[in-house]
Amino acid sequence: MTLLTKDEAYAILKKVLSYSKADECEVNLAGTNSSNIRYARNAVSTSGSISQFQLVVSSAYGKKSGIATINELDDTSLEKVVRRSEELAQLAPENPEYVSFLGPQTYAEPITYVPATAAITPKMRADAVAQSLQVAKGTKTVAAGFLEDNNGFTAMMNSKGLFAYNTSTNTNFSITMRTEDGKGSGYATRGYNDITKLNVKEATEIAAQKAVKSATAKGIEPGKYTVILEPAAAAVLLERIFFGLDARQADEGRSFLSKPGGGTKLGEKLVDERVNIYSNPLHPDLPTSTWNGDGRPQEKVSWIEKGVIKNLTYSRYWAQNKNVKAVPGPDAAIMEGGTKSLEELIAGTKKGVLVTRLWYIRDVDPQTLLLTGLTRDGTFYIENGKIQYPIKNFRFNESPIIMLNNLEELGKVERTVSVESNVNYLLPPLKIRDFTFSSLSDAV
Amino acid sequence: MGAAASMIPAIPVIGKPIDPERMLESVDPATKKKMADIALNAARSQGATYTDVRVGRYLNQFVVTREDKVQNIVNTETYGMGIRVIANGGWGFAATDKLDNDSIAQTARLAVAIAKENSRLLTEPVRLAPQKGFGEVSWKAPIEKNAFEVPIKEKVDLLLGVNSAAMKSGADYINSILFLVNEQKYFASSEGSYIDQDVHRIWPVFFVTKIDKETGKFETRNSLSTPIGMGYEYLNARPQDKIQGVTTLYKGRYDMLEDAKAAGAQAGEKLKAKSVEPGKYDLVLDPSHLWLTIHESVGHPSELDRVLGYEANFAGTSFLTLDKWQSKNFKFGSNLVNLVADKTQVGSLGAVGYDDEGVKCGQWDIIKDGVLVNYQAIRDQAHILGLDASQGCCYADNWSSVQFQRMPNVSLQPGKEKKSMDDIIKGVEKGIYIVGDGSFSIDQQRYNFQFGGQLFYEIKNGKIVGALKDVAYQSNTQEFWNSCVGIADSSDYRLGGSFFDGKGQPGQVSAVSHGSSTARFNGVNVINTSRKI
């Protein structure tokens, strides 16, 4: 599918709105091309290519609204979909929390589209996998990996004069290498908007090294340990804070950000003062859309500054209710780090555990944000500044809030991908004291 | 989010919203056959040695409410075609939502081109188990009342009534959702099958929160409903569908209003409940809870693709390696433990006539008298187990997703001795009775797990003596199933399940049921989950 240009999208959206008879109308238009290649047991297992297009029309009469869609762009179809959305709006019950569509907004020019990523071919994907399989052959390991890429556009326009357009590209790669006897396993993941930054061979080599080094794991007692979390491991814990920044939940008293007796912890120190977390859609190493799904601009926002909660996310209804700015949730997050490499963090550790990946993270208690999950694909015991030996995996029960209060050190920031949500982040490795491992796992 | 079973509805709007009257439309099989033939011919002309085509129309309806408000009514439809081929011995797949003749043929050619490009990275060609063509056949879920035909107003009134009942009984907040699914699936293959299927599922669910204003503590209680492969009749519970006890449990049909009323009160009771003393307990697990333990610790590790390593990069591998199966004496559980795979169980989420590669569905043993005897396989895996046919476990969650090995319904068989839930509890000296599913996590080879729940009751000397909170249990799969010392009989058998079991890259979800009767497990480690921040 050829992506629509800004002018082409504008013309179609304008035409759709010209058919509207409702009090308000908003139209969203999107098209994506996504392709992938998956391999396991040192051979390609599945591979595919999917092309999809979507036009969504939202009509409203007072506080009653309806939505209809179509994937054809001839005039008859466009008018038909508008009429359908209007009929549905008339049938719908009134929603007291309905908020009128946004008027015109100003957006920064996004930097999310890289032509090289949009131009990737089936041959290039297969060539990338061939490089990975070559590493497997050389290290006598077994590769299982996944490479996906997509390109697309989104655009929206409404009867109050708002227009937004964005194109984007993305590629994610992940690789698990296991020793032939199944006793060692290692993992690496990479995500970029620009495919030319992806080095499949380098990532595969790192995963293979971890696999080989983790093959003779010993069991050590569960308990509280100083841990060094590589960014991929830190991501799946920290993102639970990012996902939980909703102001309404906090105001209603059912969040880790609620205060006893009412109110929220906005403006209060929640974690170690070295913690600074923000989002910025124009960050050159982690660009994201400059507008969100309901047309609000995405801007640089500080979420935690010197350990203090600086902002919460607000739906437009809840912001209106509380008379505050309707700050949308971020599409990605950035945590400031330090200057030390992972190796330097290890070198400064007397006794501890290096965690390279965490897995199956689930909420245990929303009040304290207590999470459970397991280490996976390479866990190592550190003593006197050196990795001494691989250890068996642990189950943990820990809250990222408690964890960020037990912060020892931050390393250098790098881009990583959450294995749970697939969201990309810029995060440092974290050194944490008293991290709670509650039981051992025999899983490799 | 995540790889494993997910029950919390993040309302994945996989599709396009449409207006309600279109939810009752279906596409004529003859039209789908014509489209499928274009794809089959185009793929064959490019050199495909096998092709299957899935024309899918997937309809969802969500009615979403909180307290006294209707937040959203969303109708979605997604309609398109996925084409899978074998060329030069390897798989290729492409999908499109443009269903004109040229687009279909072009997509088929793309699938073949992908297969040929990737075939140079194969270690061996794909081997498909034999499968005869069935010609033109159809299958329909045996529902009594199509939920899409029920007026929106009736659904809204139900949910607002549910919310009101919970608030009157003490809840501070409630979210309730009615989630309806209709999959109209058409499968055609180069082997001569043209299979038209109509699948229906329903899930009424709510989440209640109660807050202690002074302390700021809060507790939740989720509905005891299960997603199920039924029509709207699921919401019409009769007296014989209820099991009365320390809380009312539901068998086959569900009383959402009654459960919401109980939930409002029980969320408040949880605030005052005793925090559990960690240690070893004998656990009595209700089917509304045990389904999830079965799902994670039996369903997933017996998936053959995990065993072989195809999920190693994401969902993980399995401790149930082939050597354990080949030994014919791997003691997975106690002698009481019998676990059966079944793609035909009436009312279950996984029930279909044919799987997504045109295999007629059936039933088979996975664990027999505690011993591992089989796995779950699809056509290109059957030869590994020495099978002459696939077990029919192939599924794709959408026309745009490639089909692969997914779990059938996997269920614990009832005890053979006459024994009720009360009889199971009577024998326990120090234990905990757990109802409903809660937090869940298991490692990537399915050994170490941790589960929470909705309602926890302390058992002393054969009697329930009070409510507990902050309970989670940890165990190892093999130790856990070997600690099974009692299972109630078939009169207590009930289904639980998940709408959103996640697996694969790109990630897909599938819906699956797990049945059991109340069962007892001795000496399981229980932890206390309360913390302070």
Side-chain angles (χ1 to χ4, degrees):
Chain A
M1 180 187 69
T2 308
L3 302 188
L4 296 182
T5 65
K6 190 174 187 176
D7 287 346
E8 289 168 336
Y10 185 92
I12 289 173
L13 292 170
K14 196 79 182 165
K15 188 187 287 181
V16 177
L17 282 182
S18 73
Y19 296 123
S20 172
K21 295 175 183 171
D23 295 347
E24 293 189 321
C25 184
E26 186 164 275
V27 191
N28 284 267
L29 182 60
T32 56
N33 298 308
S34 56
S35 297
N36 62 73
I37 185 164
R38 190 181 197 204
Y39 54 112
R41 292 162 64 92
N42 287 345
V44 169
S45 52
T46 57
S47 178
S49 188
I50 301 138
S51 175
Q52 296 186 82
F53 182 76
Q54 181 170 295
L55 177 71
V56 183
V57 178
S58 307
S59 295
Y61 293 92
K63 288 180 176 292
K64 294 155 59 127
S65 64
I67 301 173
T69 79
I70 206 160
N71 59 355
E72 295 162 284
L73 298 180
D74 61 277
D75 290 0
T76 308
S77 299
L78 295 180
E79 182 163 8
K80 187 170 68 179
V81 72
V82 172
R83 294 285 93 79
R84 278 191 181 142
S85 71
E86 289 171 350
E87 286 161 18
L88 189 57
Q90 298 283 22
L91 285 172
E94 196 167 90
N95 177 7
E97 297 189 358
Y98 177 81
V99 180
S100 176
F101 296 135
L102 271 176
Q105 304 290 307
T106 305
Y107 307 111
E109 194 61 32
I111 53 172
T112 42
Y113 186 83
V114 180
T117 309
I120 187 170
T121 63
K123 180 179 186 307
M124 290 158 74
R125 286 181 209 102
D127 287 345
V129 172
Q131 286 180 36
S132 191
L133 296 181
Q134 201 59 39
V135 175
K137 196 174 176 186
T139 53
K140 293 188 176 170
T141 49
V142 182
F146 182 63
L147 171 64
E148 62 180 336
D149 54 85
N150 60 65
N151 64 83
F153 76 95
T154 51
M156 68 180 292
M157 183 184 283
N158 69 31
S159 53
K160 298 182 82 175
L162 181 147
F163 175 68
Y165 176 85
N166 187 33
T167 53
S168 64
T169 55
N170 196 56
T171 181
N172 276 359
F173 173 68
S174 59
I175 176 73
T176 300
M177 303 293 276
R178 293 172 67 81
T179 55
E180 288 174 346
D181 61 6
K183 291 182 177 172
S185 184
Y187 178 75
T189 181
R190 302 284 185 270
Y192 303 101
N193 297 80
D194 181 354
I195 189 98
T196 63
K197 292 181 178 173
L198 175 62
N199 187 336
V200 166
K201 183 166 179 281
E202 172 262 356
T204 307
E205 284 169 346
I206 288 171
Q209 284 166 18
K210 285 179 182 170
V212 172
K213 286 179 181 169
S214 68
T216 53
K218 299 178 189 176
I220 65 171
E221 284 298 307
K224 288 186 183 291
Y225 286 89
T226 292
V227 297
I228 296 174
L229 302 173
E230 289 195 9
V236 294
L237 300 179
L238 295 175
E239 70 182 358
R240 306 310 278 254
I241 298 177
F242 312 149
F243 298 158
L245 290 168
D246 180 61
R248 186 172 188 175
Q249 287 281 111
D251 281 321
E252 290 176 345
R254 42 181 174 160
S255 157
F256 64 96
L257 293 168
S258 305
K259 279 205 303 195
T264 76
K265 293 177 181 172
L266 184 64
E268 293 191 0
K269 186 169 171 298
L270 187 71
V271 293
D272 187 286
E273 62 189 18
R274 287 168 291 174
V275 175
N276 293 288
I277 295 171
Y278 67 100
S279 55
N280 179 7
L282 297 178
H283 194 293
D285 294 325
L286 189 64
T288 51
S289 177
T290 51
W291 49 279
N292 84 329
D294 62 12
R296 283 180 282 172
Q298 288 283 18
E299 296 163 334
K300 185 174 180 182
V301 178
S302 175
W303 301 102
I304 298 178
E305 199 171 297
K306 294 182 178 175
V308 174
I309 293 286
K310 295 295 284 186
N311 274 294
L312 297 177
T313 67
Y314 284 82
S315 67
R316 292 185 58 231
Y317 167 74
W318 199 245
Q320 187 176 283
N321 187 286
K322 294 290 175 184
N323 200 25
V324 297
K325 186 178 177 185
V327 180
D331 293 329
I334 300 150
M335 181 174 181
E336 290 180 357
T339 56
K340 286 186 180 172
S341 66
L342 180 68
E343 291 69 29
E344 287 170 324
L345 289 182
I346 293 168
T349 303
K350 197 172 177 192
K351 280 186 181 177
V353 173
L354 174 64
V355 176
T356 60
R357 182 183 181 186
L358 292 174
W359 167 246
Y360 216 134
I361 317 303
R362 288 295 181 274
D363 293 321
V364 176
D365 183 1
Q367 183 114 46
T368 58
L369 209 56
L370 184 73
L371 306 173
T372 192
L374 298 120
T375 65
R376 174 176 172 181
D377 299 322
T379 308
F380 301 92
Y381 185 66
I382 304 165
E383 201 167 273
N384 298 323
K386 285 186 179 164
I387 290 175
Q388 300 293 335
Y389 48 82
I391 54 175
K392 283 190 176 184
N393 289 307
F394 286 116
R395 170 171 296 287
F396 68 87
N397 275 262
E398 189 58 88
S399 162
I401 305 299
I402 295 171
M403 178 181 97
L404 289 182
N405 276 293
N406 289 337
L407 182 66
E408 290 269 311
E409 253 184 312
L410 297 155
K412 271 186 208 165
V413 170
E414 62 183 79
R415 185 162 165 161
T416 193
V417 187
S418 163
V419 67
E420 292 275 320
S421 68
N422 227 23
V423 174
N424 282 233
Y425 299 102
L426 286 172
L427 300 175
L430 304 177
K431 185 171 166 185
I432 306 287
R433 64 180 173 274
D434 292 334
F435 191 91
T436 309
F437 291 124
S438 54
S439 56
L440 271 178
S441 162
D442 289 326
V444 176
Chain B
M1 294 283 296
S6 168
M7 302 166 305
I8 306 304
I11 313 301
V13 183
I14 42 172
K16 310 163 189 176
I18 62 166
D19 47 340
E21 72 270 21
R22 291 196 62 205
M23 302 304 266
L24 300 175
E25 294 173 3
S26 61
V27 181
D28 178 15
T31 303
K32 292 188 271 196
K33 183 174 186 297
K34 278 181 194 162
M35 293 192 292
D37 281 337
I38 292 166
L40 293 172
N41 291 333
R44 185 169 48 237
S45 71
Q46 295 296 300
T49 52
Y50 168 83
T51 303
D52 61 40
V53 181
R54 288 175 300 107
V55 182
R57 185 164 183 267
Y58 296 81
L59 306 175
N60 290 335
Q61 185 175 85
F62 309 88
V63 182
V64 184
T65 72
R66 61 170 290 167
E67 290 93 56
D68 57 353
K69 302 172 196 70
V70 177
Q71 290 186 298
N72 227 335
I73 299 172
V74 183
N75 292 330
T76 72
E77 174 195 21
T78 179
Y79 181 42
M81 176 187 284
I83 302 167
R84 187 177 69 151
V85 303
I86 297 175
N88 290 358
W91 287 119
F93 176 77
T96 182
D97 58 4
K98 299 275 183 287
L99 298 179
D100 59 275
N101 295 358
D102 288 347
S103 296
I104 290 169
Q106 189 184 336
T107 304
R109 289 193 290 268
L110 176 60
V112 177
I114 290 171
K116 287 181 176 174
E117 191 60 61
N118 296 334
S119 65
R120 63 187 158 104
L121 302 176
L122 291 175
T123 48
E124 57 181 333
V126 175
R127 280 174 64 185
L128 284 185
Q131 180 59 56
K132 67 168 186 176
F134 289 105
E136 293 182 40
V137 292
S138 65
W139 182 90
K140 280 181 183 292
I143 58 169
E144 292 174 22
K145 191 174 186 180
N146 185 345
F148 288 95
E149 292 176 1
V150 175
I152 291 283
K153 186 176 184 312
E154 190 175 323
K155 296 165 186 167
V156 166
D157 288 348
L158 169 70
L159 294 186
L160 292 181
V162 160
N163 296 358
S164 172
M167 299 294 280
K168 279 181 189 160
S169 69
D172 288 305
Y173 298 102
I174 178 168
N175 296 78
S176 64
I177 303 164
L178 201 52
F179 187 5
L180 314 174
V181 175
N182 176 209
E183 292 183 356
Q184 298 167 11
K185 307 190 329 177
Y186 189 82
F187 174 90
S189 78
S190 53
E191 293 166 335
S193 283
Y194 295 92
I195 302 167
D196 195 39
Q197 301 197 92
D198 187 35
V199 180
H200 288 260
R201 300 193 281 266
I202 182 170
W203 188 21
V205 63
F206 63 73
F207 310 92
V208 158
T209 306
K210 175 72 179 174
I211 297 170
D212 182 326
K213 303 274 186 311
E214 279 182 27
T215 63
K217 297 273 186 198
F218 62 89
E219 288 286 346
T220 61
R221 206 290 230 161
N222 301 348
S223 55
L224 299 180
S225 61
T226 185
I228 201 152
M230 293 175 68
Y232 208 71
E233 68 275 8
Y234 178 57
L235 285 159
N236 179 25
R238 305 150 301 187
Q240 66 266 33
D241 300 316
K242 297 176 185 179
I243 299 172
Q244 304 297 344
V246 63
T247 188
T248 304
L249 302 166
Y250 302 97
K251 183 173 180 173
R253 295 188 180 195
Y254 176 56
D255 188 334
M256 194 176 193
L257 208 64
E258 178 188 61
D259 193 30
K261 190 176 171 187
Q266 288 168 345
E269 287 161 15
K270 280 173 88 171
L271 281 167
K272 297 171 195 155
K274 189 168 92 173
S275 191
V276 71
E277 190 71 33
K280 300 268 187 191
Y281 289 85
D282 294 349
L283 300 183
V284 177
L285 303 180
D286 185 73
S288 61
H289 171 90
L290 187 54
W291 76 265
L292 184 50
T293 311
I294 296 168
H295 175 86
E296 301 289 14
S297 69
V298 186
H300 280 308
S302 55
E303 293 167 324
L304 187 56
D305 61 343
R306 281 181 193 258
V307 172
L308 298 173
Y310 287 102
E311 285 286 330
N313 186 45
F314 184 55
T317 57
S318 172
F319 76 98
L320 291 177
T321 46
L322 290 176
D323 57 310
K324 294 188 172 91
W325 165 69
Q326 283 156 345
S327 76
K328 295 185 167 51
N329 62 7
F330 177 70
K331 199 66 180 155
F332 180 91
S334 72
N335 292 347
L336 296 175
V337 174
N338 289 283
L339 288 141
V340 170
D342 190 352
K343 289 278 290 180
T344 62
Q345 192 168 4
V346 175
S348 67
L349 293 166
V352 281
Y354 305 84
D355 78 349
D356 282 351
E357 53 184 2
V359 176
K360 199 167 174 58
C361 292
Q363 183 194 86
W364 65 99
D365 293 322
I366 290 182
I367 307 293
K368 179 112 180 119
D369 300 328
V371 174
L372 172 68
V373 295
N374 216 329
Y375 297 99
Q376 314 155 30
I378 60 175
R379 286 187 70 186
D380 62 8
Q381 301 167 335
H383 64 94
I384 295 165
L385 300 179
L387 300 173
D388 55 13
S390 164
Q391 290 168 319
C393 295
C394 209
Y395 177 78
D397 66 358
N398 197 274
W399 57 266
S400 62
S401 307
V402 66
Q403 61 270 56
F404 70 129
Q405 195 264 298
R406 298 307 305 262
M407 195 187 300
N409 307 299
V410 175
S411 300
L412 177 67
Q413 299 306 287
K416 286 164 190 149
E417 288 178 28
K418 188 166 171 49
K419 200 176 274 187
S420 68
M421 174 179 67
D422 287 342
D423 293 332
I424 298 274
I425 289 173
K426 264 180 210 163
V428 176
E429 284 185 20
K430 179 199 173 192
I432 301 173
Y433 174 48
I434 304 180
V435 174
D437 50 55
S439 180
F440 55 100
S441 174
I442 191 164
D443 70 39
Q444 75 278 8
Q445 288 188 311
R446 306 274 148 178
Y447 286 113
N448 174 306
F449 60 67
Q450 177 175 312
F451 290 98
Q454 291 302 318
L455 297 167
F456 310 97
Y457 298 97
E458 185 175 17
I459 305 170
K460 276 188 178 169
N461 302 320
K463 286 186 179 163
I464 288 173
V465 295
L468 293 171
K469 64 179 176 185
D470 306 325
V471 177
Y473 64 92
Q474 291 186 350
S475 188
N476 164 291
T477 295
Q478 199 182 351
E479 287 172 13
F480 176 80
W481 286 104
N482 274 284
S483 76
C484 181
V485 295
I487 304 173
D489 63 39
S490 58
S491 64
D492 189 50
Y493 182 87
R494 284 163 276 152
L495 286 178
S498 169
F499 250 27
F500 303 117
D501 175 31
K503 189 177 162 187
Q505 290 177 302
Q508 293 188 37
V509 294
S510 78
V512 63
S513 292
H514 303 281
S516 78
S517 301
T518 305
R520 175 180 171 182
F521 300 84
N522 276 1
V524 181
N525 190 40
V526 170
I527 65 166
N528 183 300
T529 60
S530 67
R531 296 285 191 285
K532 279 186 181 174
I533 57 171

